[in-house]
């Protein structure tokens, strides 16, 4: 079972159901690697199966070569919500209060290659169900996929440490919180309305 990173308790989310919902909705995340003190980050599609993260790619590329040298990685997913203009919560004319509200999941773990065809097929099926839920493709048990599956790397990220953060003004005093609510409702975009709903839910309003 994974551990959780320590963070400000005002922002931390511990409910696994909520965390998994963010991961399952996200179409892509960012994988961070490092070899010989040279960092590299790459966005990629992924799928969660139980407590692990899976992704795929070419058998030999920069990402795979780096993973062979150092299997320890970080992975992050962000779900953006409303941009909060500086004057939404302050009247002092400074830019400092400007921010963005969001949900995020950050993961540290170790990767390993998935070797067997059946397990690879399971990952591809889960990925397709996530990204193309309407179906419309042959099952991965079909021999038509044999060459593609053989020639594609599938990587399992076993989660060691995980944190989930919601930033929706939970830490603000009542006056600033209400100012932001009012400003978002006045601006009134769909994202603003969604943000207001989450702000109220987080605040218990």
């Amino acid at each position: 079972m994974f551990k959780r990173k320590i963070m400000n308790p005002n922002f931390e989310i511990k409910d696994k159901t909520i965390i998994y919902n963010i991961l399952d909705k996200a179409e892509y995340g960012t994988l961070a690697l490092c070899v010989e003190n040279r960092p590299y980050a790459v966005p990629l599609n992924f799928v969660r199966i139980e407590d692990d993260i899976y992704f795929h790619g070419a058998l030999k590329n920069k990402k795979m070569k780096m993973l062979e040298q150092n299997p320890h990685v970080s992975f992050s997913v962000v779900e953006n919500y409303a941009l909060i203009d500086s004057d939404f919560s302050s009247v002092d004319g400074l830019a400092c209060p400007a921010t963005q509200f969001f949900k995020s999941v950050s993961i540290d773990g170790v990767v390993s290659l998935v070797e067997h065809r059946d397990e690879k097929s399971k990952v591809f099926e889960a990925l397709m169900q996530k990204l193309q839920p309407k179906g419309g493709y042959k099952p991965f048990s079909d021999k038509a996929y044999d060459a593609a599956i053989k020639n594609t790397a599938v990587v399992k990220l076993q989660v060691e440490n995980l944190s989930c953060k919601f930033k929706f003004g939970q830490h603000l005093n009542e006056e600033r919180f209400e100012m932001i609510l009012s400003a978002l409702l006045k601006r009134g975009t769909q994202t603003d309305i969604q943000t207001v709903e989450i702000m109220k839910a987080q605040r218990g309003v």
Side-chain angles (χ1 to χ4, degrees), residues 3-205:
K3 299 177 182 178
R4 291 185 176 87
K5 299 177 181 179
I6 297 174
M7 70 163 57
N8 186 326
N10 287 318
F11 301 127
E12 184 178 17
I13 300 297
K14 298 180 179 180
D15 188 323
K16 185 188 290 188
T17 301
I18 294 174
I19 295 170
Y20 282 174
N21 182 59
I22 296 170
L23 292 171
D24 293 346
K25 284 174 60 181
E27 294 182 358
Y28 73 94
T30 301
L31 181 71
L33 311 88
C34 189
V35 172
E36 296 180 351
N37 293 321
R38 298 297 295 253
Y40 176 62
V42 57
L44 44 78
N45 295 122
F46 72 98
V47 66
R48 177 191 65 84
I49 301 177
E50 297 180 352
D51 288 335
D52 301 314
I53 302 296
Y54 292 83
F55 55 91
H56 70 291
L59 287 172
K60 294 293 181 181
N61 57 16
K62 181 176 181 178
K63 175 178 64 184
M64 295 307 301
K65 290 177 181 177
M66 292 184 73
L67 291 176
E68 288 175 3
Q69 296 178 67
N70 182 4
H72 297 273
V73 302
S74 288
F75 184 72
S76 61
V77 169
V78 178
E79 188 175 314
N80 288 332
Y81 285 84
L83 284 165
I84 308 302
D85 293 354
S86 60
D87 57 354
F88 279 18
S89 66
S90 175
V91 295
D92 60 13
L94 297 177
C96 304
T99 189
Q100 180 158 23
F101 287 169
F102 63 87
K103 301 176 182 178
S104 69
V105 177
S106 298
I107 292 170
D108 293 330
V110 178
V111 300
S112 60
L113 278 177
V114 176
E115 301 286 359
H116 297 294
R117 189 198 190 286
D118 288 348
E119 190 175 358
K120 281 186 169 184
S121 296
K122 178 182 176 182
V123 173
F124 286 128
E125 181 63 39
L127 185 62
M128 287 299 292
Q129 288 177 0
K130 176 180 179 179
L131 300 179
Q132 188 175 310
K134 68 178 183 180
Y137 54 89
K138 295 179 179 179
F140 284 92
S141 57
D142 195 298
K143 291 186 179 297
Y145 295 109
D146 285 354
I149 290 175
K150 181 180 180 180
N151 295 318
T152 303
V154 175
V155 181
K156 173 182 176 179
L157 168 54
Q158 185 173 356
V159 178
E160 293 184 337
N161 297 288
L162 179 148
S163 65
C164 180
K165 181 177 180 179
F166 278 25
K167 184 179 180 183
F168 289 95
Q170 306 97 305
H171 62 303
L172 300 176
N173 62 40
E174 194 68 24
E175 181 181 3
R176 292 187 66 194
F177 187 85
E178 291 296 331
M179 284 179 66
I180 292 174
L181 283 182
S182 178
L184 289 174
L185 289 171
K186 183 178 180 180
R187 190 167 63 186
T189 69
Q190 183 177 356
T191 300
D192 292 335
I193 301 305
Q194 292 174 339
T195 301
V196 166
E197 292 173 355
I198 298 173
M199 287 175 66
K200 289 181 177 180
Q202 291 297 116
R203 195 84 161 198
V205 176

